[in-house]
Amino acid sequence: MHSSQPSRRAALAGLGAGAAATLLPSQDAQAQRNAIRYGVAAMKENFNEDPLYRDALVKYCDIIVPMNDLKWEALRPARGQFNYTDADRTIQFAQSNGKSVRGHTLCWYNALPNWVKSITTAREAEAELRNHIEQVVDNYRGKIPSWDVVNEAISHDTAKQGVWRNTFWQNLLGERHIEIAFATAAKADPKAQLVYNDYDLENTGERESLRRQHTLALVRRLKDKNIPIHAVGFQAHLYAERTIDPDGIARFVKDLRALDVAVLVTELDLIDWRLPAATAERDATAARHVKTFLSALSDAGPVDSIITWGITDRYSWIPEHFKRRDGLPNRPLPLDENYKPKPFMDVISKFRAGLG
């Protein structure tokens, strides 16, 4: 996806993502084919309270993901109850502004309501998992064309912990819970894109290599059983101090595409806690790291979409978990805390326009 025409790169260099989304007349058909949709995971609190946040979503995004409002604890305050109010608000906003929506997530070990702990048998767990997915996917059929069906089922360190993460669903149903989730989602909406989503798939190292191998094995197992799976999501919470593995990514993506499985970037941000203090240097390093990752991924084949886990440094999960020792604010996202585009957004803009 590297353009050989510097004039086109220069034409986009000064543009924000909103402007770069519209290809210039001089850009050829190949660039248009390479164009990638950009999206943001949006938090309802920010969405409801900050008009600048809403404006940024309208200006920059093609896709909006309700960050938390489609998780179990948000939708299922009681066992027999489904509350779609918060998710509907975000989805209606997206639709009224011509944006697509992604669903996150149907089956995850985290963000479960307390009542789930009362489930103690495999039969009961399977029935509730099927019921949840049937109800939620059917409710949004035609409105949410892509779902993270299963999130983070593979353990953090498979060499030490075994392949599967020790979770509520794994303990009661074993790895079969993954098959149940995908099969149920496919039946509830046969037209939806069904995605397995996970982290630490992009770096060098034995742990990351094994995680890619186990993800690929999971995809093959579903395919062998004729259970629909259409894509793998790279969460891509990138650590600036870690090294991207272009060769590992290329092999992984090639093997996925041989199985007719696409790739998405679903939760991109940059963990900058160990970068130097100088803002300009930090932002430039972050942009280079993001570009290295996106280039490695897109060079291996087309990428369906790029979604960042938030849009502005004003609102991010990273300061809570990766606080800088110098006390300076983290800068993990494409826009700064004042909604000014950073070099990170310039990178997104170019990939979005097919010029990455």
Side-chain angles (χ1 to χ4, degrees), residues 54-73:
R54 295 193 296 272
D55 291 346
L57 296 179
V58 173
K59 179 178 181 180
Y60 292 101
C61 297
D62 305 306
I63 305 166
I64 295 177
V65 182
M67 185 181 288
N68 296 315
D69 302 322
L70 289 169
K71 294 173 181 175
W72 277 61
E73 66 179 1

Side-chain angles (χ1 to χ4, degrees), residues 4 72-73 100 111 122 148 170 182 212 220 251 269 323:
S4 59
W72 277 61
E73 66 179 1
S100 184
D148 290 333
Q170 180 67 23
F182 274 94
R212 289 192 291 268
R220 283 177 172 150
R251 288 191 297 271
D269 49 24
K323 187 177 180 65

Side-chain angles (χ1 to χ4, degrees), residues 157-346:
D157 190 337
T158 60
K160 297 178 180 178
Q161 300 165 334
V163 175
W164 306 111
R165 187 180 295 273
N166 182 19
T167 71
F168 169 83
W169 301 113
Q170 180 67 23
N171 289 338
L172 285 180
L173 296 170
E175 65 188 79
R176 192 169 66 91
H177 77 275
I178 303 170
E179 300 171 9
I180 291 168
F182 274 94
T184 305
K187 185 176 180 180
D189 187 352
K191 294 183 179 180
Q193 180 190 55
L194 307 181
V195 182
Y196 175 73
N197 193 49
D198 219 322
Y199 67 91
D200 281 0
L201 299 174
E202 63 276 344
N203 297 127
T204 57
E206 183 65 18
R207 183 178 68 83
E208 289 82 353
S209 177
L210 285 172
R211 298 190 96 254
R212 289 192 291 268
Q213 291 176 37
H214 291 306
T215 301
L216 183 62
L218 168 59
V219 171
R220 283 177 172 150
R221 186 157 48 251
L222 292 173
K223 287 285 189 176
D224 288 345
K225 295 185 176 184
N226 293 317
I227 298 173
I229 178 171
H230 306 119
V232 166
F234 282 70
Q235 289 187 9
H237 298 293
L238 304 181
Y239 292 74
E241 69 271 19
R242 295 184 184 176
T243 303
I244 302 297
D245 185 354
D247 292 337
I249 289 173
R251 288 191 297 271
F252 182 50
V253 173
K254 179 180 178 181
D255 288 340
L256 288 173
R257 296 201 177 283
L259 296 169
D260 195 27
V261 170
V263 294
L264 299 77
V265 179
T266 56
E267 304 184 21
L268 176 64
D269 49 24
L270 195 288
I271 299 168
D272 67 339
W273 61 336
R274 294 178 178 170
L275 287 181
T279 298
E281 180 181 354
R282 214 183 337 158
D283 287 352
T285 301
R288 285 196 299 271
H289 205 63
V290 170
K291 182 177 180 180
T292 297
F293 165 66
L294 293 178
S295 296
L297 193 61
S298 59
D299 284 351
V303 178
D304 274 22
S305 56
I306 299 169
I307 294 169
T308 52
W309 205 241
I311 191 168
T312 169
D313 294 340
R314 184 179 296 194
Y315 309 115
S316 171
W317 69 285
I318 286 177
E320 181 180 353
H321 297 274
F322 300 96
K323 187 177 180 65
R324 291 179 58 88
R325 292 182 180 179
D326 58 15
L328 292 173
N330 294 83
R331 297 176 64 84
L333 288 164
L335 305 181
D336 71 13
E337 63 179 4
N338 296 314
Y339 292 95
K340 181 180 178 181
K342 294 153 53 182
F344 188 156
M345 183 59 88
D346 294 337

Side-chain angles (χ1 to χ4, degrees), residues 95-134:
Q95 291 178 327
S96 67
N97 286 282
K99 314 300 182 182
S100 184
V101 179
R102 287 202 72 244
H104 176 83
T105 174
L106 296 171
C107 181
W108 189 31
Y109 69 88
N110 208 344
L112 294 173
N114 288 332
W115 63 261
V116 172
K117 298 175 184 178
S118 67
I119 298 173
T120 58
T121 68
R123 181 177 180 179
E124 194 179 9
E126 179 174 347
E128 199 57 63
L129 180 60
R130 288 185 185 276
N131 177 57
H132 177 87
I133 295 174
E134 287 170 356

